[in-house]
Every structure is written in structure tokens, then in C-alpha cells.
């Protein structure tokens, strides 16, 4: 009965999306008004991220039965979204996602079809050469990597790899062959004596958004638990994001603030972490600058209670730090673009390993017979990558095939961690009632 009543409320109050290019001089403003439901904030943010939009500011309010959020967005080149077809697509995409009922959302939201390939999920202890060994196993088993994403953080590694049969180009469905792939990959992941922690799973025909799934895998693998790192330049405490957690006694909220280096998809990563920990954002704001992002959220657990213990407070800090750091690549960025072929990924990752480079993160994609791969690499000793080694690798592969896209060691952009924490909502609850939130936001 509750589910039927919720459906009726949604039909009577369909979501409304307004996209405005006039009220802000440097960004497109997207306002979303809808009946509130658990997980709606992540759904909306994921739509914007999937459209490759950059969120520069956000104002969030979902207290009570209504969800009212405003997002300032730009394209990757820093420009407003002015194409009418793109604007209309964003509106329909958000409205359709938000309008899915909770019973359908369990099997539909954030899901993509994968009938054309077999999807493998990997998790285990990170070590130099791990990706190279995984790719070598797949190549030996006549598996072609169609696309993949690999993350490493805090001595853990996770990957979602989509493969096909190298002969037929189709998904692999034979149970015996799948069992062999699983066994050999588990052997590679558990080579350091950590076989019980190595995981290899084959995803069903419908899978969660790849980046969303990587957050879930690493969270389940407890990558947020800090480990002692050894080596030059490792475990620099000042380089961590600044996360604070405190109480808001007036309204029984917990206030979470985060200050970190700004980067694309930062808000998405943070909302993923809060959702995985079963917390709901009731109010919040996001403000980004050229170097730094500041985020402030008023949260409760899904049971309606704020954080109740010091241990829970510390866990939130660790999990949010991990969510920010997973994609905050510290390595030198290399881009490979060439004709695709079976074994290409195995060859290039072996070349990295032989030259003392370890892969911190990677994005693998193929389209139209071309391979476009991005690798974030570091020296196995923890020292800055020797550019002479990079030149040697590029010359072996081909200088037009493999190129350096970004070197963090020569960047002068440093996050200013010394600035005192701001509370942009500091007097909000003392000066205003919740009913005035929409008015406050519209005047911003």
C-alpha cells in the first residue's frame, strides 16, 4: 500500500527540471524539483557526470517530502551548455531517472546493458606489475579487453574489465571457460599470500555504472582503512583532504565539511561514499575555485539519526578521504591512441613493468577499431618518474602513439590547506527556518 501511495504522489507531482543560462554569467544553472526519495541526489549527480558536465556549485535541500537542488555546471572546456538538443536531453534524462519508482530502481537505476561482452570484477592487494599480469592471463586465454577501468588506493586494487572472445568478438558464456578465467585471475590476485582477499566475479547481463561499481568494490574491500606506507614521498599527511565531522544540535543533523583539491567528478565520488555508508544528505552546498573545492553537508543515517559515536565519526572521515583519493591520481598521465588489436593491453602494460613503472589508475576504451587508453603511472620506488624512462617507453611504442598528457611533478597548483574551515551555512539554522530554504537559494 505504501508503494502504491508513493507512485500516486509521483504521478500527481512529476519532477520538474529548469535549465537557465541567464541568471549566472559563467555557468548553466540546472534546478531540479521533485518528490523526495532515497538515492535521488546520487541519481541526479550521476546523470550530470555521465553527460561529462563539471559541477562548479551546488545547493542541496531535501528535507521533508520534497527534493529541491540547484547545480551550476559547465562543459569540460569551461563553457556554458547552450546547445538546445543537449539541454533538452539533460532535462529528459533527469526527469526519467528521477521518475522511476523505488521497486524498479533496484534493477534499473544506473544500469547499462552488457550482452555484447563479459564483465569481470576484480579486487585484491595492489603491487607493481599487477595489471600487466592480469592482462597477460587474459591474452593467453584468448580474451580481448573491450574496455576497463582500474583503481588503486591504500594498497588495494579494484577493476571492472569487459572482455570478449578474441576469435568471435562475442561475450564468453561457456561455464568451463569462465571457471578457468576465474581460477587463473584469482591466482594472480592472491600471489602475495592474500588469496582469501582476492576476488574475481562475473557480473550479470545488467551491471551498475562502472565508476559507481568501483566505489562499491573498494568500499567492500575496506580500502579506507589506513596502512603504513613506506618509501619517499609516501604517506604525506598534509596532502590528505581535510574532512571534519561535527554535531548540529538544533536540528539533530551531523555536519560534514570537506576541503580538497578540485577535480572533475568530485561531488559524485563523495555522494557515492555517503550512499554506501547509508547516510542521507538533507542540506548542503558545493563551492569550487581554480584550485580548491569546499563541500558542506547536513546528514543523518537512513534510520533518521545523526552520528552517535566517535568510532562512527572516524569511519566517516576515513571513508570520505578514501572516496576523494581513489580518483585523485598522483601519477604521470599517459595517453595511448592506436589501432586496436588482441594483446595490445598486455604488451603496453608489460613494457611499463619492465621499465620500473607501476600503474596507479587506468581507463581503457576501444571504439571503431581504435584503442584509446589513459594510464596514470608512478615509479615503483615512490620517487618522481624519470622522464628519460618515459621518453624511452614512448620511443619504443611510437611518439605519436603514446604521449604524456600531464605531469603532476611540474605543476605549480597546490591546494591551500592552511585556510581556516569556512561554514557557509554557519548561521543558517539559527537565522532561518527550513521553510525559507527555497527562497534563500533562489536569491543566491
Amino acid at each position: 500500500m505504501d508503494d502504491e501511495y508513493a507512485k500516486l504522489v509521483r504521478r500527481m507531482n512529476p519532477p520538474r527540471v529548469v535549465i537557465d543560462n541567464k541568471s549566472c554569467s559563467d555557468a548553466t544553472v540546472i534546478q531540479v524539483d521533485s518528490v523526495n526519495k532515497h538515492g535521488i541526489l546520487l541519481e541526479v549527480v550521476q546523470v550530470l557526470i555521465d553527460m561529462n558536465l563539471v559541477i562548479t556549485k551546488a545547493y542541496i535541500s531535501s528535507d521533508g517530502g520534497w527534493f529541491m537542488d540547484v547545480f551550476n555546471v559547465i562543459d569540460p572546456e569551461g563553457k556554458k551548455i547552450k546547445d538546445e538538443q543537449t539541454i533538452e536531453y539533460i532535462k529528459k534524462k533527469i526527469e526519467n531517472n528521477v521518475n522511476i519508482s523505488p521497486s524498479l530502481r533496484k534493477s534499473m537505476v544506473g544500469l547499462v546493458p552488457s550482452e555484447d561482452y563479459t564483465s569481470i570484477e576484480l579486487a585484491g592487494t595492489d603491487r607493481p606489475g599487477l595489471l600487466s599480469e592480469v592482462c597477460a592471463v587474459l591474452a593467453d586465454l584468448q580474451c580481448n579487453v573491450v574496455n576497463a577501468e582500474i583503481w588503486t588506493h591504500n594498497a588495494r586494487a579494484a577493476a571492472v574489465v569487459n572482455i570478449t572472445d578474441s576469435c568471435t568478438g562475442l561475450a564468453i558464456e561457456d561455464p568451463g571457460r569462465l571457471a578457468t578465467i576465474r581460477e587463473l585471475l584469482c591466482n594472480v590476485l592472491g600471489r602475495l599470500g592474500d588469496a582469501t582477499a582476492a576476488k574475481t566475479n562475473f557480473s550479470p547481463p545488467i551491471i551498475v555504472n562502472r565508476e559507481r561499481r568501483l566505489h562499491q568494490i573498494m568500499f567492500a574491500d575496506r580500502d579506507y582503512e589506513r596502512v603504513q606506507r613506506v618509501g619517499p614521498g609516501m604517506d604525506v599527511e598534509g596532502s590528505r583532504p581535510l574532512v571534519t565531522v561535527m554535531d548540529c544540535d538544533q536540528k539533530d543533523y551531523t555536519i560534514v565539511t570537506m576541503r580538497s583539491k578540485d577535480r572533475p567528478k568530485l561531488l559524485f565520488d563523495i555522494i557515492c561514499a555517503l550512499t554506501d555508508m547509508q547516510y542521507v544528505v538533507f542540506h548542503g552546498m558545493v563551492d569550487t575555485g581554480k584550485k580548491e573545492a569546499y563541500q558542506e553537508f547536513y546528514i543523518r543515517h537512513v534510520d533518521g539519526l545523526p552520528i552517535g559515536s566517535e568510532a562512527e565519526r572516524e569511519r566517516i572521515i576515513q571513508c570520505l578521504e578514501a572516496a576523494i583519493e581513489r580518483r585523485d591520481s598522483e601519477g604521470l598521465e599517459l595517453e595511448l591512441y592506436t589501432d586496436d588489436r588482441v594483446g595490445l593491453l598486455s604488451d603496453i602494460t608489460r613494457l611499463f613493468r619492465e621499465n620500473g613503472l607501476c600503474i596507479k589508475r587506468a581507463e581503457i576504451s576501444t571504439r571503431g577499431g581504435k584503442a584509446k587508453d589513459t594510464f596514470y603511472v608512478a615509479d615503483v620506488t615512490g620517487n618522481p618518474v624519470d622522464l628519460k624512462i618515459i621518453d624511452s617507453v614512448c620511443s619504443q611504442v611510437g611518439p605519436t602513439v603514446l604521449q604524456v598528457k600531464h605531469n603532476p611533478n611540474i605543476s605549480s597548483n597546490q591546494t591551500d590547506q592552511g585556510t581556516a574551515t569556512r561554514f557557509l551555512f554557519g548561521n543558517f539554522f539559527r537565522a532561518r527556518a527550513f521553510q525559507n530554504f527555497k527562497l534563500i537559494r533562489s536569491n543566491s
Side-chain angles (χ1 to χ4, degrees):
M1 290 296 296
D2 290 341
D3 191 42
E4 291 301 318
Y5 177 73
K7 292 179 183 178
L8 175 63
V9 171
R10 281 190 294 274
R11 284 196 297 267
M12 295 177 63
N13 301 275
R16 186 172 70 99
V17 180
V18 177
I19 300 181
D20 172 26
N21 269 315
K22 296 181 179 179
S23 60
C24 181
S25 61
D26 56 1
T28 297
V29 179
I30 300 178
Q31 179 172 331
V32 183
D33 295 332
S34 172
V35 174
N36 191 23
K37 51 199 174 188
H38 180 56
I40 187 173
L41 176 59
L42 178 56
E43 293 169 17
V44 173
V45 171
Q46 183 170 307
V47 168
L48 300 179
I49 295 305
D50 289 344
M51 289 292 297
N52 206 24
L53 301 178
V54 178
I55 300 171
T56 59
K57 295 182 186 294
Y59 305 90
I60 300 164
S61 176
S62 58
D63 209 0
W66 204 253
F67 173 88
M68 298 176 293
D69 285 15
V70 174
F71 302 91
N72 287 17
V73 302
I74 53 176
D75 67 16
E77 297 179 353
K79 299 178 181 178
K80 290 185 176 184
I81 316 303
K82 294 186 177 181
D83 180 73
E84 289 298 329
Q85 289 185 336
T86 303
I87 290 174
E88 191 62 27
Y89 180 83
I90 295 172
K91 289 178 62 176
K92 289 183 178 180
K93 188 73 173 176
I94 293 177
E95 289 171 352
N96 290 341
N97 273 31
V98 169
N99 211 27
I100 296 175
S101 67
S103 59
L104 294 176
R105 181 173 299 105
K106 294 177 183 178
S107 60
M108 290 180 64
V109 169
L111 306 180
V112 293
S114 61
E115 290 86 354
D116 296 334
Y117 50 75
T118 300
S119 186
I120 307 174
E121 297 176 352
L122 307 172
T125 302
D126 186 31
R127 56 183 169 80
L130 177 61
L131 179 58
S132 174
E133 294 182 31
V134 168
C135 293
V137 167
L138 293 175
D140 289 343
L141 294 172
Q142 300 300 306
C143 300
N144 186 43
V145 178
V146 179
N147 54 69
E149 190 150 356
I150 300 94
W151 290 0
T152 66
H153 175 254
N154 218 7
R156 306 303 298 171
V160 176
V161 185
N162 297 326
I163 63 172
T164 58
D165 183 285
S166 60
C167 297
T168 65
L170 302 176
I172 300 171
E173 298 179 349
D174 178 65
R177 188 175 178 188
L178 292 176
T180 300
I181 295 172
R182 182 197 300 272
E183 179 183 358
L184 293 179
L185 289 177
C186 278
N187 289 342
V188 170
L189 292 169
R191 188 159 293 175
L192 291 181
D194 191 23
T196 57
K199 302 179 183 68
T200 302
N201 297 316
F202 293 99
S203 300
I206 298 294
I207 61 172
V208 181
N209 169 278
R210 192 167 64 195
E211 294 171 326
R212 175 77 186 98
R213 185 65 188 133
L214 282 167
H215 276 297
Q216 293 173 332
I217 294 172
M218 299 209 83
F219 177 75
D221 207 29
R222 305 176 72 89
D223 75 309
Y224 53 84
E225 294 181 342
R226 294 171 185 163
V227 297
Q228 184 64 40
R229 305 181 187 182
V230 180
M234 305 293 277
D235 200 23
V236 181
E237 194 68 27
S239 65
R240 285 190 178 276
L242 179 62
V243 181
T244 61
V245 179
M246 58 197 71
D247 298 326
C248 178
D249 296 330
Q250 295 94 330
K251 293 292 181 179
D252 287 331
Y253 288 118
T254 296
I255 306 173
V256 179
T257 69
M258 287 147 288
R259 184 185 298 278
S260 67
K261 181 176 65 176
D262 188 31
R263 59 168 176 79
K265 303 184 181 182
L266 179 61
L267 176 60
F268 173 77
D269 294 340
I270 289 171
I271 299 301
C272 281
L274 291 172
T275 303
D276 289 340
M277 289 185 289
Q278 299 292 300
Y279 288 102
V280 179
V281 177
F282 287 87
H283 297 281
M285 60 79 57
V286 176
D287 186 22
T288 66
K290 293 182 179 180
K291 301 179 181 179
E292 185 181 72
Y294 176 82
Q295 305 190 44
E296 183 175 310
F297 299 119
Y298 291 73
I299 67 171
R300 292 185 190 133
H301 196 265
V302 289
D303 59 11
L305 298 176
I307 294 174
S309 69
E310 189 60 36
E312 187 179 6
R313 191 187 307 272
E314 180 62 23
R315 180 171 177 266
I316 285 185
I317 292 175
Q318 290 183 354
C319 289
L320 289 174
E321 286 178 347
I324 295 171
E325 292 172 345
R326 286 169 193 155
R327 208 196 296 260
D328 189 13
S329 300
E330 59 198 33
L332 182 143
E333 182 182 352
L334 299 174
E335 183 178 271
L336 174 78
Y337 184 75
T338 187
D339 293 332
D340 189 29
R341 60 174 174 80
V342 176
L344 172 65
L345 190 58
S346 176
D347 291 342
I348 190 66
T349 53
R350 184 185 68 250
L351 188 60
F352 289 159
R353 183 188 65 192
E354 291 173 348
N355 283 273
L357 301 175
C358 61
I359 298 171
K360 309 300 291 184
R361 188 162 69 90
E363 300 171 13
I364 312 301
S365 63
T366 60
R367 178 176 296 181
K370 293 288 187 179
K372 185 177 181 180
D373 305 340
T374 301
F375 302 95
Y376 298 84
V377 300
D379 188 276
V380 291
T381 64
N383 292 313
V385 176
D386 187 345
L387 294 182
K388 292 181 180 179
I389 294 178
I390 299 298
D391 290 340
S392 174
V393 172
C394 290
S395 64
Q396 293 179 63
V397 177
T400 61
V401 173
L402 183 67
Q403 297 181 335
V404 176
K405 300 297 291 184
H406 176 63
N407 186 351
N409 297 316
I410 60 175
S411 174
S412 61
N413 293 333
Q414 300 290 334
T415 302
D416 182 10
Q417 295 285 355
T419 309
T421 301
R422 297 173 296 168
F423 292 97
L424 300 189
F425 282 179
N427 298 316
F428 175 72
F429 292 105
R430 291 188 291 272
R432 301 280 186 176
F434 281 116
Q435 292 83 352
N436 294 333
F437 184 76
K438 186 176 181 181
L439 177 61
I440 293 172
R441 198 183 53 197
S442 64
N443 290 335
S444 298

